[in-house]
Amino acid sequence: MNDRRSSHPRRRARTRRPVRGFVSLELVVGFTLFLGVVLLAINLAVLHYAQGAVRAAAEEGARAGAAAGEGVDGCRATAIATFDDVLGGSYGSDIGFDCVERNGAMVARATGGFTPWIALMPGVNVDLEVVVAKEPEP
């Protein structure tokens, strides 16, 4: 028996076209969502790393300033150098370091903020203070 409907070329081609286009649309939407989630995760990781770089720089600066003979200038210089070494680039350009001596201790303060890459995410503000007891002068 010969069935003409199943072997007709126009009928076969007509059923394939919409399915192929629909799969392409699903792929584009899914891939866009996937890239958005990946970019969000990378941005969160970078912000977390940058906050750690600020903390490490403030701690190093306070330790250096607390050493005998270093003082406020040594604290600030070490904090800035450490931050540039750990983070580098222009991403942390809004972060500032300040050091003061208070009650026999060296206090390193870091202030500023980081702007995320994705506009939907809020910026991260940094206001950190590290206190280290000063070594006695010889």
Side-chain angles (χ1 to χ4, degrees):
M1 217 154 179
N2 210 355
D3 188 9
R4 285 186 184 178
R5 286 184 286 163
S6 63
S7 64
H8 196 273
R10 260 194 244 163
R11 187 170 184 87
R12 234 181 298 146
R14 200 179 315 146
T15 58
R16 286 187 197 163
R17 277 189 221 139
V19 172
R20 245 186 289 151
F22 187 69
V23 171
S24 297
L25 179 65
E26 284 179 344
L27 182 66
V28 168
V29 170
F31 190 67
T32 302
L33 289 174
F34 173 74
L35 282 179
V37 169
V38 167
L39 185 59
L40 178 70
I42 291 171
N43 195 6
L44 287 173
V46 168
L47 287 172
H48 186 69
Y49 179 81
Q51 284 180 320
V54 170
R55 186 178 308 111
E59 288 173 357
E60 283 295 314
R63 282 190 210 112
E70 288 297 318
V72 174
D73 294 332
C75 171
R76 188 177 298 115
T78 302
I80 292 169
T82 302
F83 185 67
D84 288 342
D85 287 345
V86 173
L87 190 61
S90 63
Y91 192 61
S93 61
D94 293 339
I95 302 296
F97 294 94
D98 191 30
C99 299
V100 294
E101 289 185 39
R102 183 175 28 179
N103 300 330
M106 180 59 62
V107 179
R109 185 178 177 109
T111 56
F114 295 103
T115 305
W117 299 332
I118 301 174
L120 300 175
M121 290 181 61
V124 175
N125 292 322
V126 175
D127 189 8
L128 174 71
E129 192 172 273
V130 177
V131 181
V132 176
K134 277 189 70 77
E135 291 181 5
E137 296 288 331

